Structures are given as C-alpha cells and as structure tokens.
Amino acid sequence: MRLIVGKDYSDMSRLAAGYVKKEILKKSNMVLGLATGSTPVGMYRELIDMNRKGGISFKDITTVNLDEYYPIESTNSQSYRYFMNDNLFDHIDIDKAKTHVLNGMAEDSEKECASYEDLISSLGGIDLQVLGIGRNGHIGFNEPGSQLYPYTHKTSLEESTINANSRFFSSLEEVPRHALTMGMKTILNARKIIVLASGKEKKDAVRRMLEEMIDTSCPATLLTLHNDVTVFATEDAVER
Ligand code: GLP
C-alpha cells in the first residue's frame, strides 16, 4: 500500500486528481469506479477543471459507482445518482448513458445486485476504483462485522454511519437504513485502487488500514490483499 500525504484537503485532492489524470491518459476508454461522500468532491472539482482546460476527456470513459442508498429515488438530492450528476457528470464531457449507479428503487434488490455484477464483468472489470473510507473503516457500504459479503448486495447501515451521514439529510429519520453496495471482492477485483482520506476523524480507520492486519471489524483492512492500492491522505488523517 502506497501512502501519499497532502498538506491539506486541496493538496490531497490535487494529488489524487493528478493520479486519475495519468490513468485516463494511459487508457482513454477506461472503466472508472467512483465513490461519493464529501471526501472526493475536491478531486472531482480538479477533474472538472482539467476537462474544461482540455487536459483530459471523459467521452470514452465508462463509470460504475460503488453504492447507493436503498430505497431512494434518483431524483432525491441525497441519492448517490444525484450526487454524481451534481458533483461530476453534469460538468464534464461524459456520455451519461455510460455512467452506472445502482438503482435505489429496484423492486428486486437481489436481481439489481446480480445484474450490476454482470455489468461490471461485461465491461471487462474496473480499471481504477476510487474509494473513500468511513469513520468506522467501512468501504462503500461494507460495514464492520464478523462476515463480509464478497459481491454486490443489499446491506443494513450501522448506527454510526446513519449518524455520520445524517449531516446531509434534514433529519436523522430521513437517512435510509439500507443500501446496495459492491462487495469487497468486487472492489478488490479492480486493477488499481485509490483511497482518499481527509480529516482527523478518519485517523483510526486509516491507521488500521495502513497497519495491514486483516480484520473484518475494519473492512478497509482487506485492501491490503490488493497489490496496487494508493492512499491519498491529509496530514491530519495520518498524524500520530
Ligand atoms: C459513505 C459512503 C462511502 C464513503 C463514506 C465516507 O457512507 N457510502 O463510500 O467513503 O461515506 O464519507 P465522507 O467522505 O463524507 O467522510
């Protein structure tokens, strides 16, 4: 696991965007796995800027998002589909038909998850997966537990995640209690992974991930099984 430390949030975002840019320049039709949460927003801004200035193009890129609340309408401003349109897709030259987010209103969630796995396989797998990290070490919505699902599945959110994510909703009650998420094996199958971590509240989770002891009580530690992971962190997320 490589660690790259930015002195602050904008520095970290710039470094991470630089990494993504290099990968896009190597393979213009790459399959890019994307994440939501507040952490990647700065990196998305940098990518939008690079796209505007002509440094990179997204026109041949396909994206697959990590997760989505369940149930949630895609038009709800807190849905991850809405988030992605608002923070990235609406501002770059991507073909929206090539952007994939799990359907938070699917009637049959099992079927939706199985088709998502099929979709990823039919695309030839994910070239680069972008990840954030939860305060409790969750990845996507793979929450700490004694067992972790390998593939895309429906999951219940932990109380601490509901509380942490409630800052985006008008009340705690509005936070969906479930989500659809790629599983740890779906994520580990990506050819390259980057993890973005910012702020001191991520310190414990980041420390455990970097210590490289595998423990399902901190799903991020499973990333040590992958041989091409780069962590972009702010100084306060890694200081002892
Ligand atoms: C959510 C998302 C994760 C994200 C995490 C951290 O629960 N499902 O993919 O990494 O929150 O979010 P933030 O970056 O806002 O701290």
Side-chain angles (χ1 to χ4, degrees):
M1 219 177 259
R2 278 179 300 272
L3 172 66
I4 297 180
V5 182
K7 62 177 184 326
D8 54 23
Y9 179 70
S10 54
D11 197 31
M12 186 234 18
S13 302
R14 199 180 42 78
L15 291 166
Y19 181 101
V20 175
K21 177 182 178 178
K22 264 198 208 145
E23 293 304 309
I24 295 177
L25 292 178
K26 274 193 246 167
K27 189 174 179 185
S28 59
N29 63 346
M30 75 189 304
V31 177
L32 186 56
L34 295 174
T36 55
S38 47
T39 315
V41 171
M43 182 189 80
Y44 292 152
R45 264 190 235 125
E46 294 281 338
L47 292 173
I48 292 168
D49 198 44
M50 289 172 182
N51 185 230
R52 279 206 185 121
K53 291 181 174 149
I56 43 167
S57 171
F58 290 85
K59 75 177 169 37
D60 297 323
I61 286 181
T62 303
T63 66
V64 281
N65 257 78
L66 257 185
D67 50 9
E68 178 60 286
Y69 288 115
Y70 189 81
I72 200 160
E73 295 272 3
S74 59
T75 49
N76 182 316
S77 62
Q78 295 313 322
S79 77
Y80 286 169
R81 162 50 79 182
Y82 190 101
F83 174 101
M84 289 311 304
N85 287 345
D86 199 33
N87 285 288
L88 185 64
F89 302 151
D90 285 345
H91 313 286
I92 56 174
D93 63 347
I94 202 160
D95 173 1
K96 277 257 183 82
K98 289 197 201 146
T99 66
H100 304 281
V101 181
L102 282 148
N103 176 7
M105 288 309 280
E107 255 173 56
D108 185 340
S109 58
E110 255 177 57
K111 211 165 136 199
E112 173 66 11
C113 293
S115 354
Y116 208 65
E117 286 290 331
D118 290 345
L119 167 78
I120 294 171
S121 305
S122 73
L123 293 169
I126 300 169
D127 290 303
L128 170 64
Q129 178 64 53
V130 176
L131 300 174
I133 181 169
R135 297 170 200 203
N136 61 1
H138 75 236
I139 293 291
F141 272 127
N142 293 280
E143 294 278 29
S146 53
Q147 291 187 316
L148 294 172
Y149 281 80
Y151 296 108
T152 305
H153 58 283
K154 179 179 159 197
T155 186
S156 304
L157 304 190
E158 266 213 351
E159 209 55 43
S160 65
T161 301
I162 294 171
N163 287 330
N165 291 4
S166 68
R167 70 191 194 277
F168 300 113
F169 291 82
S170 34
S171 70
L172 191 65
E173 289 62 49
E174 270 181 40
V175 188
R177 268 39 184 176
H178 295 92
L180 307 179
T181 181
M182 285 183 194
M184 289 310 297
K185 189 167 166 69
T186 325
I187 295 164
L188 289 168
N189 276 343
R191 288 181 263 282
K192 290 185 177 196
I193 295 177
I194 60 171
V195 186
L196 274 56
S198 164
K200 56 179 184 329
E201 57 290 337
K202 299 291 171 72
K203 226 160 73 174
D204 278 355
V206 171
R207 180 185 46 77
R208 291 183 74 182
M209 172 174 68
L210 293 173
E211 270 173 6
E212 302 192 327
M213 285 305 290
I214 299 164
D215 186 340
T216 58
S217 72
C218 180
T221 62
L222 270 88
L223 296 175
T224 201
L225 294 169
H226 195 281
N227 58 18
D228 198 336
V229 178
T230 308
V231 179
F232 291 91
T234 53
E235 272 175 8
D236 58 352
V238 286
E239 73 199 358
R240 298 280 153 142

